Amino acid sequence: MEEFLTEDVKVKLSDVEGVGERIKRRLIDFFGSEEEALNAILEGRIAEIGNVPGIGIGKAYTIVRRARELVEGVRWDEVLKTEGIKRIYEDTLKLIQEYAQTDYAKHKLRLLWPYPASKIEKALERLRAFSEAKNMIEGSDDAAINCVLSALRRVRPLRKGELKGKIKGRAVITRDEDEYKRLKDAGVDRYCTTFLISEGERLIDYAEGYDLVIYVGEGVDEYAENLVTAPRKWSVEDVVPEAAIWFYSANYDVINAVCELSSAISLLPEVESLKDLVEKLDRNTLDRVRELLSYITEKGEVAEGVNQELDRYRVALRGLNEAVAEVEAWVNEEIRGRLAESEARLRGEQIIRILEEASSSAFEAGRLRSYLPPEVNDVIFSTINEAEKKFYQSLGLSEKEVLWLEGLFPDEPALPVSMNPRKISELETWLRRQQALRSYRVLREVARELSGYRRKVEEAVYTALEFDLYFAVGCFARDYELNTPRIVEGAGVFFKKGKNLFLKRMELEGKERVVPVNYVIGDVGARPEGTNGERVVILSGANSGGKTTLIQLIAQVCLLAQMGLPVPAEEAIVGPFEEIYFFEKAAGMLSAGALETTLKRFAAIASNPTPKLALFDEIEAMTESGAAAVIIAGLLDLLEAQKDTCVVVISHLAKEIVSLTEGRVRVDGIAASGLDENFNLIVDRNPRFNYLARSTPELILKKLYQLSGGEEKKVFGEILKKLESSPFR
């Protein structure tokens, strides 16, 4: 297929960046056609594409991502403008990926990236579905959720499951040249030895060398117990049922898991976005598939208990050699024992010796019976008759079934008694044919039905993999207390009782509970007391008070909302951005080269009028504090002048920066009020709007003063006195 139409965008395989002629050929060879290869890429089947020789998971992800970018007209990093914000995005995705049960969903979650404000309608479509996923999980009991998870853990992409090699002991025969051509065209000769025979040749001569022979065509006037005739309008399933069944046996556990999932989903609350999924996981069909799967094994054989006669012959064939050994041992021991106790005129020991010599020498055994007393012959042959019955019974066979089998034991007396190897071989052949015939008949009936379900099964497995992503987001949203944000025009973010995801992860691991916080930046219709829609904010406050985790939370809320996912807050309003920046805390004063690079980046941001969210974490460490305050003030003025741009700067130079700015800048603060009985900072994690909070180094010094002793205590005491009396405090 040359083109694939999706979302009104025509895409060809060669349009996808990273797919050259060599990769294109490998994809087509693996998937069978360009259409199927393109389907796999556009559906995001990363793990499957990664199995293509010479591609691998990393390359597969890149190919799928490039194709998705091409179709949606949005690059994965279009919103993510710095390494800092990319790191928050990746770390957030990892939290969600922990909830996925399949590699498929883990990989595909990486294809959820934030949409810019200009394409936010795509995120809104996704948000409706994922919000319902969260509601569905919250409305489910643990038993239902565990049933779904148990099934999902066993789901993976389907293997091709093609029968390889020829079936031993089976031949397909026809006298019709057209039928022979049909057999070849259908590929039957790949699975079975196939013959075109002339009118003069006998079918039974061919049947002699095989366990099962299937005749295709008209006019069968010969009979053999291992000869069956295919229907006039035959299919491959009629001739080689294993070809259809092998797909199911190769994917046995996966298909069973999907059948279980279709039942488990019925235990969940009904939601609108799941309707299509539930239809594709057709429970009636999958229940029947599951029943049919119980008739076969993972090796593609008929399961035990499906056909009693087949089981009987199968057990007999498996136990044949052991039965021969046991019966031979029994009959010889029994004859010896009975003859040793014999009251014949010859002493028992002599009789045994004669029989043993007769067995091993050139003595005419046929004359031996006339020399032996009648009671000796009676002992021998009555014991042999018992042995025959014991033999058939041990194999589960009736004497009527094997009337044709004569001469299983020798007609003349001899010790030890040995069963006739040729007759045992004939019995083995007969058992194999009985097994092959009955196994074929069961497999044929199962294959005829299963072959009609294959497309639905393939769709159901793909749907189950997609459902894992949906379910993972729902479980993540429940555990991390996410809720649906309201998306509005304009730029900014407001949230109530927000919780930083990285801290929430620690809480879920049993560590300190997260204190929920409220915040607003920009004008999105919510104006808590002390705010007036300001788009530029300086965040001041105590060391270790939670300033960094707050701006991380701002980033998380905006990223998840623009990805079309619920956000970590009880309530949230988001005016989406075209770009998001996050500048991490500088480790120390930058070198001249690093400072130059940083200033160039600031200039690029300030000169770009695109609506954006810019978050800065204590960037004043880039140079001396006086110069840093001037640089930051200038940057804030330029950004404040840009409509729909929002900025939050964490800084201990808030007072100095505000004195240098000309635009409207709000200062918020996270305040520390003292030390508790363990000398830990008492901090109100909720920022106060329009409030300059001190970094409280005196509290840190007080803590050190209280916990130290000797000369160190004197040092901390002197520094504390100077700080408390300082005019800069």
Side-chain angles (χ1 to χ4, degrees), residues 311-463:
D311 288 348
R312 192 164 61 87
Y313 291 124
R314 196 153 43 185
V315 169
L317 190 58
R318 283 200 296 261
L320 181 59
N321 291 334
E322 185 179 348
V324 169
E326 288 179 354
V327 168
E328 282 185 346
W330 180 86
V331 74
N332 284 293
E333 184 179 350
E334 198 68 19
I335 288 173
R336 284 185 170 89
R338 292 178 183 182
L339 289 179
E341 297 172 359
S342 171
E343 295 181 1
R345 282 174 301 204
L346 289 173
R347 286 188 303 174
E349 291 84 355
Q350 292 172 311
I351 295 169
I352 292 170
R353 194 176 303 114
I354 291 169
L355 292 172
E356 288 175 341
E357 289 176 2
S359 176
S360 60
S361 69
F363 183 84
E364 287 188 40
R367 295 170 57 195
L368 181 59
R369 187 182 299 183
S370 63
Y371 298 145
L372 294 173
E375 57 267 37
V376 172
N377 284 313
D378 289 345
V379 168
I380 293 172
F381 290 104
S382 65
T383 307
I384 285 176
N385 286 335
E386 288 180 48
E388 282 188 349
K389 291 179 182 178
K390 187 177 183 68
F391 179 64
Y392 297 139
Q393 288 171 357
S394 70
L395 294 177
L397 303 175
S398 68
E399 291 184 62
K400 288 183 179 180
E401 282 185 292
V402 287
L403 283 174
W404 56 271
L405 190 64
E406 297 179 353
L408 194 60
F409 284 91
D411 293 330
E412 297 299 333
L415 275 178
V417 175
S418 296
M419 298 174 76
N420 188 330
R422 184 171 61 83
K423 292 298 180 181
I424 296 300
S425 179
E426 289 177 13
L427 178 58
E428 183 179 10
T429 298
W430 181 79
L431 287 172
R432 276 204 320 271
R433 288 177 175 177
Q434 298 305 312
Q435 175 182 306
L437 181 61
R438 284 160 179 78
S439 178
Y440 162 75
R441 285 173 176 163
V442 173
L443 292 178
R444 181 184 61 192
E445 296 309 309
V446 172
R448 283 172 175 170
E449 193 168 353
L450 281 180
S451 62
Y453 295 136
R454 176 160 176 171
R455 186 167 292 278
K456 281 196 171 184
V457 166
E458 289 173 334
E459 182 179 56
V461 172
Y462 174 68
T463 302

Side-chain angles (χ1 to χ4, degrees), residues 453-695:
Y453 295 136
R454 176 160 176 171
R455 186 167 292 278
K456 281 196 171 184
V457 166
E458 289 173 334
E459 182 179 56
V461 172
Y462 174 68
T463 302
L465 293 166
E466 287 288 315
F467 177 75
D468 184 32
L469 184 149
Y470 182 91
F471 201 74
V473 173
C475 291
F476 170 72
R478 176 199 60 184
D479 288 358
Y480 281 78
E481 302 176 63
L482 309 190
N483 289 288
T484 306
R486 185 153 57 92
I487 308 296
V488 299
E489 292 184 2
V493 58
F494 160 81
F495 52 82
K496 178 181 177 182
K497 294 187 177 180
K499 294 183 179 182
N500 183 297
L501 294 172
F502 308 143
L503 295 182
K504 181 64 179 177
R505 164 68 183 276
M506 296 170 68
E507 179 186 301
L508 291 171
E509 291 175 345
K511 298 177 184 175
E512 187 177 351
R513 291 186 63 82
V514 182
V515 177
V517 297
N518 309 323
Y519 204 64
V520 66
I521 177 77
D523 190 359
V524 289
R527 293 193 176 184
E529 186 178 350
T531 70
N532 193 28
E534 296 91 351
R535 292 182 289 103
V536 177
V537 175
I538 301 173
L539 186 59
S540 63
N543 296 315
S544 302
K547 298 187 297 298
T548 298
T549 55
L550 174 58
I551 62 170
Q552 284 178 345
L553 175 57
I554 295 170
Q556 290 166 354
V557 169
C558 293
L559 285 176
L560 287 172
Q562 293 187 216
M563 289 166 68
L565 300 177
V567 303
E570 184 179 281
E571 179 187 345
I573 306 171
V574 176
F577 300 93
E578 291 292 319
E579 300 174 345
I580 301 178
Y581 297 79
F582 191 101
F583 290 92
E584 295 168 298
K585 186 182 299 186
M589 189 176 292
L590 303 180
S591 66
L595 178 59
E596 182 180 344
T597 300
T598 300
L599 293 175
K600 284 181 178 179
R601 295 188 72 186
F602 289 170
I605 296 170
S607 61
N608 173 11
T610 302
K612 64 182 72 67
L613 171 66
L615 305 169
F616 299 87
D617 189 2
E618 294 189 29
I619 56 172
E620 62 257 31
M622 61 184 169
T623 187
E624 62 271 9
S625 60
V630 173
I631 292 170
I632 294 170
L635 176 64
L636 295 185
D637 281 339
L638 290 170
L639 291 173
E640 198 273 337
Q642 296 178 5
K643 183 184 177 184
D644 294 333
T645 287
C646 292
V647 184
V648 179
V649 177
I650 294 175
S651 179
H652 294 295
L653 303 175
K655 190 174 181 180
E656 293 85 346
I657 295 169
V658 169
S659 68
L660 296 168
T661 57
E662 298 176 1
R664 191 169 61 143
V665 177
R666 188 179 82 220
V667 177
D668 297 336
I670 295 178
S673 58
L675 299 172
D676 63 17
E677 64 274 12
N678 296 316
F679 303 107
N680 294 314
L681 282 175
I682 300 172
V683 179
D684 181 359
R685 303 291 179 184
N686 260 295
R688 293 169 63 179
F689 300 115
N690 262 321
Y691 175 80
L692 176 62
R694 292 175 299 155
S695 57

